[in-house]
Amino acid sequence: MNSSTVPSELVSRLRDARAVAVITGAGMSAESGVPTFRDASAGLWAKLNPQDIASPEGWARDKSLVWAWYEWRRGLVSQAQPNAGHYAIARLSASLQQLSGHATPVTVITQNVDDLHERGGLSGALHVHGSLFAPRCAACDQATVFTPPPPTEPVERITPPRCTRCGGFIRPGVVWFGENLDFRLVGQAVNTVRLSDVLLVVGTSGVVRPVSDLPTLARESGAWVCEINPIASAISPVAHLCWRASAALALPALLQSLSEAKGGP
Ligand code: OAD
């Protein structure tokens, strides 16, 4: 189901909000051509075992396999463009200010390791799962920069580069299964949802902690929670409202409704 009808309660809740939080997952970038993880047929985890490719054990077993997979994804994302949903989120705060007459901060917490929010005009997104564009040394942690361009086609193995400081292998700057998230980012995400009046949860299956816990925390802290996802997810039971629509359809339609609501009751 994909409904472009903007729920009126969402508009009124946003109009009254003093602070808004947005959680995004892989579905946010699906309409930019970046595959999600858990789609039964086309999802990345339908074809690969996450433990082989996105865990410290996988890295220890076969660094070249892991590095090639992340380099392929970096290439894929570099070719992709932000979709209408990314642009709409970047404009949401300004749109709310126009509507309500007061500043309404909008803070985005994303599980996505792409840079499509930023290229869509947003700054300050909390990338709690890291970034495809922030490689670092696996041994000494020094940040590094990419030199060779990423492959345009999947390649089975690419030997990771070496750190210029200590000679260790360079690893992707993403969080793997079994690793801790950056505690400062998690703290900021927790504070953000606690202080928000409205939480939008866009395009996540809601099965990976700790992000999957945030909607419940927001609700317990008094936020009104709205899910935007074409199908039901683990977030749906926590949401006050489930809008069954895709990100690139729903979010621009929401912005349009907010601009039309200006001057309304
Ligand atoms: P998933 O692949 O688990 O879920 C994607 C969600 O997006 C599903 O609920 C889809 O229904 C929804 N979806 C698909 N297309 C959409 C669209 N056009 N608009 C809106 N929603 C759409 O991805 P995540 O929930 O992001 O972690 O996965 C969470 C984490 O699991 C990822 O960050 C990654 C993965 O393993 C790490 O790599 C650490």
Side-chain angles (χ1 to χ4, degrees):
M1 191 166 95
N2 208 355
S3 166
S4 60
T5 309
V6 181
S8 56
E9 189 177 7
L10 175 56
V11 173
S12 61
R13 292 277 179 178
L14 284 170
R15 186 210 313 248
D16 296 341
R18 292 270 156 185
V20 173
V22 183
I23 293 174
T24 64
M28 181 76 229
S29 300
E31 286 150 290
S32 294
V34 181
T36 62
F37 292 94
R38 292 177 181 78
D39 181 87
S41 56
L44 295 171
W45 295 158
K47 292 168 230 125
L48 293 161
N49 178 355
Q51 294 305 323
D52 289 342
I53 217 88
S55 74
E57 296 76 31
W59 173 251
R61 206 177 302 128
D62 195 339
K63 291 178 180 49
S64 301
L65 182 81
V66 171
W67 183 254
W69 188 69
Y70 281 97
E71 280 291 86
W72 165 69
R73 286 180 63 205
R74 178 167 74 94
L76 191 82
V77 164
S78 301
Q79 309 273 320
Q81 299 304 325
N83 64 54
H86 293 106
Y87 290 115
I89 289 183
R91 285 168 32 222
L92 183 57
S93 180
S95 180
L96 291 175
Q97 176 150 15
Q98 277 190 337
L99 174 61
S100 65
H102 57 77
T104 309
V106 173
T107 307
V108 175
I109 301 157
T110 187
Q111 299 165 96
N112 297 344
V113 293
D114 63 47
D115 60 351
L116 296 176
H117 278 306
E118 287 72 21
R119 285 198 272 138
L122 183 77
S123 57
L126 304 176
H127 280 269
V128 291
H129 286 174
S131 165
L132 288 171
F133 302 93
R136 63 176 195 274
C137 176
C140 76
D141 231 28
Q142 166 150 287
T144 186
V145 286
F146 287 108
T147 33
T152 49
E153 296 292 326
V155 180
E156 199 171 2
R157 283 188 171 71
I158 302 174
T159 306
R162 296 285 195 155
C163 175
T164 50
R165 183 165 75 179
C166 77
F169 282 108
I170 300 300
R171 60 159 283 175
V174 302
V175 179
W176 285 327
F177 289 100
E179 291 187 317
N180 290 327
L181 278 66
D182 180 326
F183 73 95
R184 284 159 305 185
L185 283 180
V186 174
Q188 284 179 52
V190 164
N191 283 339
T192 296
V193 300
R194 274 210 182 117
L195 296 173
S196 65
D197 300 309
V198 172
L199 169 65
L200 299 180
V201 187
V202 185
T204 180
S205 56
V207 295
V208 176
R209 298 184 69 198
V211 173
S212 57
D213 295 334
L214 296 177
T216 304
L217 181 64
R219 192 171 172 143
E220 286 169 359
S221 310
W224 186 80
V225 179
C226 174
E227 170 178 65
I228 298 177
N229 194 319
I231 60 169
S233 77
I235 303 301
S236 307
V238 182
H240 293 91
L241 179 85
C242 296
W243 183 4
R244 297 281 165 240
S246 78
L249 183 86
L251 292 160
L254 174 61
L255 238 66
Q256 179 66 28
S257 290
L258 292 172
S259 75
E260 286 165 8
K262 195 166 184 295

